[in-house]
Amino acid sequence: MKTIRRMGVCAMLVAAVASLSACDTLTTQQRNTAIGAGIGGVAGAALGGSTLSTLGGAAAGGLIGSQVGK
């Protein structure tokens, strides 16, 4: 069952990255923030398995993503 869940999380990550690649009007910092939040949310869900861990991962990923390249 865990393998199926991980495959689902990976599929969601690929879908999120693919959908973000279509956003041409975002600045580099906005794009990095969105990507970081998406990856952080997926990682938080995979590691913690709760809503709180998903939100925490998304917040941390967004913060790190916004600071990359400054």
Side-chain angles (χ1 to χ4, degrees):
M1 191 67 152
K2 257 189 170 178
T3 303
I4 293 172
R5 183 174 177 190
R6 284 195 179 178
M7 289 175 57
V9 168
C10 289
M12 295 277 291
L13 178 62
V14 169
V17 170
S19 67
L20 288 174
S21 67
C23 299
D24 291 347
T25 60
L26 295 176
T27 66
T28 303
Q29 186 175 12
Q30 290 171 332
R31 182 178 48 87
N32 289 344
T33 301
I35 291 171
I39 292 171
V42 170
L47 295 175
S50 69
T51 304
L52 187 58
S53 63
T54 303
L55 291 174
L63 181 65
I64 291 169
S66 71
Q67 299 303 311
V68 170
K70 270 191 160 184

